[in-house]
Amino acid sequence: MDTAEQRVAWSSTPAGSADAPAGAGALVVLGTAQLLIALDYSVVYVALPSIDEELRFGTATLPWVVSAYAVPFAGFLLVCGRLTDLFGARRMLVGALWVIAVSSLGAGLAGNAAQLLVARGAEGRGAAALAPSTLALLTSTFPLGRARTRALAVWSTTGASGLTVGVLGGGVVTDVASWRWAFWSAVPLALAALLLTRLVFRAERTATAERGPVGWDGAVLVTLGVLFLATGMTYALEDGWLSAAFLVPLLLAVACTALLVHRERRAAVRLIPSALRRNRRFSTAALLAALFMGSFGAEFYLLTLVLQEDKGYTPLAAGLAFVPLAAAAPVGSVVTGRMTGRLGERWTLAIGFAGGGAGLFLLITASADIPYAQAILPGLLVSGIGQGIAYTATFSMGTASIPERQQGVGSGLITMVQYFGGSVGLAILVLVLGPSSSDQQFVKGFLLLGCLAAFAAAAACALLSGTETSNTPPKGNLRGR
């Protein structure tokens, strides 16, 4: 096969059409992969007190059990999106599932804090390869229109509810067995997805895009920038804003950002293609994804502290307390399609984020000495429905804005900013809570997260004013330099 023939598109379609049983099998694989990403992020929340008790992290560094996964995940998403476009979504999916299975096993075997953080970092890099390959396979398997809308609804539902299911599952296994099973539970899911992938998707034979630089240097700069920023904010909690422990990482984060900007101006292959940067709907979806995780993602950490440290819930009871949120999120996802058809993307997104934010504001009573049904349940139900709508509408708009040949890097970019938003939001929340949380600090935390969600609703209204709501992707060969 000559070079020209090697540059045609990858063939990663199922062994059948999207309407055939193979299409259903593809959706099971992709939904499981999306569930794995969300579970690996959220399954540790309820287990954090037990992890801290055994491995001795400390108040300021305990959130790094979450961030050690989220930061490398977000930092390598764009490179993995590029690799997906180069080498094929199926290959990336298979490799990512193996990495997640092995690293999850290692996380459960960790004997100290350092070993756990290393394993969590490996999990994050595996998830960085899993996310763009999953979304690229979805868009190539299900044609634009009703088939893709239905597939995206299922995929988004697993993502939105997976965060809550992870908290619930983590609570159950931590209480019944050990926090280590919170990590080991991902292993059988990954292995099952591997088996189904080999059965459902054909092996790729041809290349998607021209071979060239991948952009590892950009990925390292992005990862280090966020890592230094989050590290500085962590130490600011203990040592103060004027301490070297805060200022040195902050300066290093600024330096990484400057080097990244310089790199993007001169590089032959940019991490963010020019066409995507100029696409307002895509840029808005990326911003909203970051605000989604910065507000609703941090909700799990905050509510876990309220339930276990303030109210004395066991891990199992704390996990069960999240069940209403897990049940409400899919309801929001299901109604999103109809809302978008009647109201358009702009108002659907605004309603989703505003509704979710209203739920966060309702949770300011969570630490009050009143029954769960009054203090917590209403906020979880309202927040859950809003989250389901906001998550599904955000990713539906974002993926519809990406040209087919850039689905890997485009979907990677959206997910990257989503989890960077989660890392930064969590770091800010930890600063607001302080070293020893009180009822007053918990109220401030929920107010902060609610304001972030409200800002997302306002941003959706402002940035999408006058834009098209069609799901038709951009025309032409939109390739970045």
Side-chain angles (χ1 to χ4, degrees):
M1 181 180 295
D2 61 29
T3 303
E5 291 174 327
Q6 290 174 346
R7 291 175 180 171
V8 297
W10 285 102
S11 174
S12 296
T13 55
S17 69
D19 297 323
L27 196 54
V28 170
V29 172
L30 302 179
T32 301
Q34 179 71 354
L35 182 64
L36 269 172
I37 294 172
L39 285 176
D40 280 343
Y41 180 81
S42 64
V43 74
V44 300
Y45 278 116
V46 175
L48 285 176
S50 299
I51 294 173
D52 185 32
E53 183 178 349
E54 183 171 339
L55 301 185
R56 304 297 180 186
F57 271 88
T59 302
T61 55
L62 186 60
W64 275 102
V65 180
V66 179
S67 296
Y69 171 86
V71 172
F73 172 32
F76 283 89
L77 268 168
L78 292 185
V79 162
C80 289
R82 172 71 174 155
L83 292 173
T84 296
D85 292 335
L86 286 174
F87 299 109
R90 183 185 182 274
R91 284 189 178 92
M92 288 294 289
L93 179 66
V94 169
L97 288 170
W98 275 117
V99 170
I100 287 177
V102 173
S103 57
S104 297
L105 179 63
L109 294 172
N112 55 52
Q115 291 175 3
L116 178 58
L117 293 181
V118 169
R120 288 289 285 166
E123 279 185 314
R125 285 185 285 274
L130 190 62
S133 60
T134 299
L135 197 50
L137 281 171
L138 186 148
T139 54
S140 64
T141 300
F142 298 91
L144 192 64
R146 293 183 62 187
R148 185 179 297 181
T149 299
R150 289 195 298 266
L152 273 171
V154 174
W155 180 85
S156 299
T157 298
T158 59
S161 60
L163 292 171
T164 312
V165 172
V167 176
L168 170 61
V172 172
V173 297
T174 299
D175 204 54
V176 173
S178 164
W179 62 264
R180 299 180 184 276
W181 281 99
F183 300 107
W184 289 337
S185 61
V187 177
L189 278 176
L191 295 178
L194 271 169
L195 177 61
L196 284 174
T197 297
R198 296 184 180 278
L199 294 174
V200 171
F201 292 103
R202 295 193 184 105
E204 294 131 336
R205 299 178 182 276
T206 52
T208 275
E210 296 180 7
R211 301 295 174 92
V214 174
W216 292 107
D217 55 340
V220 171
L221 287 172
V222 169
T223 303
L224 288 178
V226 176
L227 186 65
F228 286 135
L229 178 62
T231 300
M233 295 177 73
T234 297
Y235 283 110
L237 177 64
E238 295 182 336
D239 301 327
W241 293 98
L242 298 179
S243 65
F246 167 70
L247 294 176
V248 171
L250 178 63
L251 291 175
L252 290 173
V254 172
C256 287
T257 302
L259 288 172
L260 180 63
V261 171
H262 177 73
R263 185 248 181 227
E264 286 291 280
R265 287 177 176 174
R266 292 177 172 270
V269 176
R270 295 179 174 180
L271 285 178
I272 307 173
S274 300
L276 293 182
R277 287 200 302 269
R278 294 192 299 265
N279 188 320
R280 193 202 298 185
R281 291 174 65 234
F282 177 83
S283 299
T284 301
L287 172 63
L288 295 180
L291 291 170
F292 179 94
M293 193 61 80
S295 55
F296 301 127
E299 174 188 359
F300 295 99
Y301 179 78
L302 180 56
L303 192 55
T304 295
L305 292 181
V306 172
L307 293 173
Q308 294 196 53
E309 294 190 2
D310 187 66
K311 291 184 173 293
Y313 281 35
T314 65
L316 176 60
L320 292 174
F322 281 94
V323 169
L325 183 58
V331 174
S333 295
V334 169
V335 303
T336 303
R338 288 186 179 181
M339 289 181 62
T340 303
R342 294 182 180 181
L343 304 176
E345 294 168 337
R346 181 188 180 198
W347 291 110
T348 299
L349 285 163
I351 291 172
F353 278 103
L360 290 170
F361 287 133
L362 287 174
L363 285 170
I364 63 174
T365 63
S367 60
D369 190 20
I370 54 178
Y372 169 89
Q374 296 172 252
I376 298 174
L377 181 60
L380 289 182
L381 292 174
V382 175
S383 176
I385 293 174
Q387 287 180 41
I389 295 171
Y391 189 95
T392 304
T394 296
F395 274 88
S396 179
M397 180 177 70
T399 55
S401 305
I402 307 171
E404 289 294 332
R405 68 181 303 144
Q406 290 182 333
Q407 284 291 334
V409 68
S411 59
L413 177 59
I414 294 177
T415 311
M416 179 196 80
V417 296
Q418 177 190 3
Y419 279 86
F420 273 159
S423 298
V424 175
L426 182 59
I428 295 173
L429 176 63
V430 170
L431 284 175
V432 170
L433 293 177
S436 56
S437 301
S438 63
D439 288 354
Q440 185 179 8
Q441 299 304 101
F442 289 138
V443 169
K444 289 181 179 179
F446 283 115
L447 287 174
L448 168 68
L449 301 185
C451 287
L452 284 176
F455 176 77
C461 287
L463 296 176
L464 293 176
S465 177
T467 60
E468 296 290 332
T469 59
S470 169
N471 285 331
T472 302
K475 295 182 180 179
N477 184 15
L478 301 178
R479 294 176 57 194
R481 285 166 46 189

